[in-house]
Amino acid sequence: MAELLQFVFSGLTVGAIYALVALGFTLIYKASDIINFAQGEFVMLGGMITVFAAIAGVPLPLAALLAVIATTAIGLALHRFAIAPARGASPVALIMITIGASIFLRGTAQIIFDRRFHSLPSLFGNDPIQFGGAAILPQSLVVLASATVIVILLWLFIDRTFLGKAVIATAANRLAARLIGIDTRRIVDLSFALSAAIGAIAGVVITPIALTSYDVGTLLALKGFAAAMLGGIGSAPGAVVGGLLIGMFEALAAGYLSSNYKDAVAFLIILVVLIFIPQGLFGRAKIERV
Amino acid sequence: MKALQRVTAATVIGFLALLGGGYQVLAQIKIGSVLSVTGPASFLGDPEKKTLEIYVDEINAKGGVNGQKLQLVVYDDGGNADNARTFATRLVEEDKIVAMVGGSTTGSTLAMIPIFEDAKIPFISLAGAIQIIQPVRSWVFKTPHTDKMACEKIFADLKARNLTTIALISGTGAFGKSMRDQCVAVAPSSGIKIAIEESYGPRDSDMTPQLTNIKNKAGVLAVVNPGFGQGPAIVTRNYRQLGITLPLYQSHGVASKQFIELAGPAAEGVRLPAAALLIADKLPANDPQKPVVVDYARTYQQKTGQAVSTFGGHAYDGLMILLEAMKRAKTADPVKVRAEIEKTKGYIGTGGIVNMSPTDHMGLDLSAFRMLEIKGGDWTLIPGT
Amino acid sequence: MTLRTLLGHRLLPALVVAAIVVALPWFFPSTYYYRIGALVFMFALAVVGLNLLMGFAGQVSLGHAGFVGIGAYSVAIGPVHLGLPSWLCLFAGAVLSGAVAFLVGRPILRLKGHYLAVATLGFGLLVAIVLTNEAGLTGGPDGMSVPRLTLFSWTVRGTETWYWIAGATFVGGFVVAANLMESPTGRALQAIHDSEIAALVLGVDVARKKLAVFVISAIYASMAGSYLALFNGHVTPDVAGFLRSIELVAMVVLGGMGSIIGSLVGSALLVVLPQALTIFHQYEQTVLGLILMVFMIFLRRGIVPSLAAALAGPRK
């Protein structure tokens, strides 16, 4: 029993990481129908900028703030300079642009930072919390809490503020939104900026557990994306649930089946979801079929 | 057409070089290298490249070898074996090297071996797997300890501490996999029983499920972790998180200060086999390797600002063995140099004391590995190993 | 006959390519160049297939390197573990890839746009994972060596030989693809590309045509993979990796989606540039990312179509 609980804790730890990444995907998709493959790089930048700012002597909280601000700016720039000029392009083209951006960011990070692994100190120390015979790190709870807080904030934003409703309007029908006076371009700007911020925050809280390096973005993006798809892309709670589920499946697979194929779990899930429930667990059946 | 342009450019440059380079009477000795400077194996290739560049410059400043200056040509294969092969072809055909020191990973080394064998150019590899020199190929040598030796060293220590039933948790990357295979192969003859095996992906962030299975397996007395990169650091942290108190052994792949930093207090008590380079300052004064490793560590640290790495040390050994062979042969002719490399005896390097022979193209024995333990956030040498 | 008509003639591109294949070696001072040429043609073969899928059928595959991997490992595993002759394994690999594409494509090609991209992404990654983990069969992360190709007691060896084989196969693949474009299936594909709904209305069996192209593109990729493996004599799971899939897509994009000769241009660029710019190797990723973005924003048609349009003069 304690064994199963430990697997669950592991699943929650990893799943919370995926959930945070998935939230970033979801937000941009909600506002603009774009899948942003550079989301993983936002997470990487959050972690790496914090690490290097701290090495340069900036106090840690300030370094983290700096990282979030810088990454938000980069997210904004991504939309302004790479996506917006390509308005009207096919989904293929937009995907290629975000993939190109992700490769660009990764390549540049390699040069500006370095190629080694780095860590950050945990918020509440490294002593594990014992519960029911299993141990969970305090930082895992921080990651889970962050995901929860962000989901709540997002929900409040979408549901309670005018801007939030403008985001929904833009996603539902761009032309109509423009017609009633919403500056759709600014809205998408905002969604990219917010996603980048979420990604950066994720990077900062994840690094004490998962470490960071210039290329953590790729795998995180893939898994985070699988999570978003599982939950139903466009649904924020779905992203969190999807992330936790994938984390759980991975942990259980590693514990009970073969740890070799743990990575395959997420990608198998992508295929299964697409074939049987393309709209995901919480999404609406808006997928065009031919 | 790019090819045409390149050829034209090359021809023009060639003419200019002929005209302008007349004052350089003696040709330079061209040494080639294909390293994984970027990509997943940059952990290996980056210090290797820096080392080669530092020492080629230093030797040239002192007049070169046999009165000729050295010229180093380095290509980055990005961790991809196919690219390595293309660059190897380029080194042989275009750059016309006379010797090769490189091949950061086993994959890229194996892909390049046929090129150098066909071209009859001596190839000193910097990769770990035993297949590189077993079966012995006349033109291929290597400087790093084999993963088989690492297993044997760990098992010897386990035996000495009476910890004969162990668990193995390995990374699925090339390094971890190769070493895991060797450990499984030599375990019976070393008197070690592997009770349970687990694995993790090189990019995983949490290994608690696997370690939980190990913790719950009855009879396990110690855990060995063949792996490389961030994985072992996370394994070590998770180890502490789960409160596992069994002795933990890491591999020589984590032999860098960064492991201790990343693993934090969890690293206390971890043992691993490593080259003397890692504990240069703590070696007893009469240790034959001390002067070499202290000098290399200091030079590397000074010139790059980074802590020394054993992989850089392998590159140093490779270069020096090659140059010593050239000096003995009194020429850079590949055939003669190869014969001299094979006759390397008593070469004291960062990895150990090298004694090659026609049947042994690596030349290190188990004494080249020292058993280290991490105490108080630093390496300590376990006496008697 | 205007330049545009000339450029549009069906057989002309094939002849041009054949001429390039034959003429290039005159400029090759050493085997190294033959190697680069052979690599360009082998990748171009895979790119032609992907181009059929992306450029003509308007679908996107982010896991195409998975098929390349299947082809590559077929000629490794077959001879080593099953004792089969290499040429048979080459065909077997192509058949296997086609079959896998059929099985995977059937349910997924019902979906649209980025869903297919993601599905193929997942597929490619799964292939890479299986190749890395089934070490007993595949040699694991370090890969395995590939025995040379033998045809009726002639062992294919030598870079020059492979250059000619790759070049000839590419021309052949080129002609097949060009014919495909002109056939009823090809026209249907163009229709799908422009509007799936319209194509449906016109009675085009959209799903079946898409599947057919997917299978064909998988076969092209598999053959390219087999050639690469036989040529290099060694194969590692990298050949099926995510970055390779992206490189293939980049080659399509750069050369021009829907332009078969663009496949050659895209392949040549991405194979030759890293060789030409070795001093800048650490900037390779940065530059690749930048190129992808710039092309998709400004030069979406790719090099060849843009050039063709420019040469033909402004439209009225």
Side-chain angles (χ1 to χ4, degrees), chain C residues 5 74 114 131 146 154 157 177-178 214 223 272 301:
Chain C
T5 327
S74 299
H114 27 244
L131 288 176
V146 179
W154 167 52
R157 45 164 66 235
F214 193 43
M223 291 204 65
V272 173
R301 284 183 297 180

Side-chain angles (χ1 to χ4, degrees), chain A residues 3 6-7 10 14 110 115-117 119 127-128 135 137 208-211 213-215 219 251 255 259-260 262, chain B residues 37-39 42 46 172 198-199 203-206 208-210 212-213 216 229-230 234 237 240-242 258 262:
Chain A
E3 178 186 281
Q6 189 63 57
F7 296 159
S10 168
V14 174
Q110 215 186 135
R115 297 188 199 104
R116 301 155 78 202
F117 295 104
S119 181
D127 290 321
L137 285 173
I209 305 179
L211 307 181
S213 73
Y214 79 95
D215 61 352
L219 201 61
S259 37
N260 263 338
K262 188 174 62 54
Chain B
V37 185
T38 58
S42 58
D46 192 51
T172 52
E198 293 281 342
S199 65
R203 290 239 148 261
D204 285 356
S205 48
D206 186 279
T208 49
Q210 294 94 319
T212 304
N213 284 343
N216 290 338
Q230 67 176 59
I234 296 183
R237 288 169 158 203
R240 181 172 181 271
Q241 173 188 343
L242 293 177
Q258 216 196 8
L262 288 176

Side-chain angles (χ1 to χ4, degrees), chain A residues 122-161:
Chain A
S122 305
L123 220 50
F124 297 111
N126 288 320
D127 290 321
I129 301 172
Q130 301 290 344
F131 187 82
I136 191 167
L137 285 173
Q139 193 69 20
S140 309
L141 296 175
V142 171
V143 179
L144 271 169
S146 308
T148 320
V149 167
I150 291 180
V151 168
I152 295 178
L153 284 177
L154 267 180
W155 175 74
L156 283 173
F157 172 68
I158 301 265
D159 211 56
R160 298 287 164 88
T161 69

Side-chain angles (χ1 to χ4, degrees), chain A residues 154 183 189 194 196 207 218:
Chain A
L154 267 180
D183 185 346
D189 272 349
L194 273 181
T207 303
T218 322

Side-chain angles (χ1 to χ4, degrees), chain C residues 107-179:
Chain C
I108 288 174
L109 281 165
R110 291 177 293 149
L111 310 169
K112 242 187 86 94
H114 27 244
Y115 292 94
L116 177 62
V118 171
T120 48
L121 178 64
F123 160 73
L125 289 165
L126 278 172
V127 170
I129 291 179
V130 170
L131 288 176
T132 310
N133 283 326
E134 291 304 314
L137 205 56
T138 66
D142 278 331
M144 57 191 293
S145 65
V146 179
R148 292 190 198 275
L149 174 65
T150 35
L151 288 167
F152 315 109
S153 80
W154 167 52
T155 310
V156 180
R157 45 164 66 235
T159 315
E160 285 98 351
T161 323
W162 274 109
Y163 172 82
W164 294 114
I165 295 181
T169 313
F170 175 68
V171 173
F174 190 101
V175 170
V176 168
N179 278 338

Side-chain angles (χ1 to χ4, degrees), chain B residues 10-250:
Chain B
T11 319
V12 170
I13 293 174
F15 271 118
L16 289 175
L18 272 175
L19 292 175
Y23 64 89
Q24 275 200 308
V25 178
L26 289 171
Q28 295 191 315
I29 301 180
K30 273 199 176 175
I31 301 177
S33 187
V34 178
L35 300 170
S36 304
V37 185
T38 58
S42 58
F43 210 82
L44 306 168
D46 192 51
E48 287 165 357
K49 175 168 190 250
K50 292 192 166 94
T51 303
L52 288 177
E53 288 174 337
I54 292 173
Y55 280 93
V56 164
D57 282 343
E58 217 163 88
I59 290 168
N60 276 344
K62 296 198 190 121
V65 166
N66 297 339
Q68 292 173 290
K69 298 259 186 200
L70 302 172
Q71 189 189 353
L72 181 66
V73 184
V74 179
Y75 292 123
D76 174 11
D77 64 18
N80 185 293
D82 289 341
N83 288 351
R85 199 181 164 102
T86 305
F87 283 122
T89 312
R90 185 169 170 170
L91 282 173
V92 166
E93 310 251 341
E94 293 290 290
D95 301 294
K96 307 235 191 296
I97 56 167
V98 296
M100 157 88 171
V101 176
S104 311
T105 64
T106 304
S108 57
T109 299
L110 292 175
M112 292 193 285
I113 283 179
I115 309 278
F116 294 114
E117 283 189 315
D118 282 348
K120 300 208 185 345
I121 303 246
F123 175 15
I124 302 185
S125 164
L126 305 179
I130 194 169
Q131 297 97 291
I132 295 172
I133 42 144
Q134 216 173 68
V136 172
R137 289 171 248 252
S138 64
W139 292 92
V140 181
F141 304 83
K142 87 183 196 84
T143 50
H145 320 83
T146 60
D147 32 20
K148 181 173 176 206
M149 284 169 61
C151 293
E152 288 172 334
K153 191 80 182 180
I154 294 176
F155 288 163
D157 198 61
L158 284 168
K159 198 103 206 286
R161 291 167 91 189
N162 247 321
L163 307 164
T164 50
T165 307
I166 63 166
L168 214 58
I169 174 168
S170 47
T172 52
F175 184 97
K177 179 94 194 7
S178 175
M179 183 168 162
R180 174 248 165 224
D181 288 344
Q182 292 301 319
C183 283
V184 167
V186 305
S189 52
S190 304
I192 300 291
K193 178 167 170 300
I194 300 176
I196 177 175
E197 266 198 70
E198 293 281 342
S199 65
Y200 57 88
R203 290 239 148 261
D204 285 356
S205 48
D206 186 279
M207 280 54 125
T208 49
Q210 294 94 319
L211 286 172
T212 304
N213 284 343
I214 289 179
K215 184 178 177 191
N216 290 338
K217 182 84 182 168
V220 170
L221 299 170
V223 178
V224 177
N225 177 199
F228 173 87
Q230 67 176 59
I234 296 183
V235 165
T236 311
R237 288 169 158 203
N238 288 158
Y239 212 73
R240 181 172 181 271
Q241 173 188 343
L242 293 177
I244 306 180
T245 49
L246 302 171
L248 176 62
Y249 283 77
Q250 289 292 349

Side-chain angles (χ1 to χ4, degrees), chain A residues 111 225 260-261 287 289-290, chain C residues 110 115 118 133-134 249 283:
Chain A
I111 302 170
F225 183 63
N260 263 338
Y261 280 100
I287 318 307
R289 284 175 191 254
V290 195
Chain C
R110 291 177 293 149
Y115 292 94
V118 171
N133 283 326
E134 291 304 314
V249 176
Y283 299 106

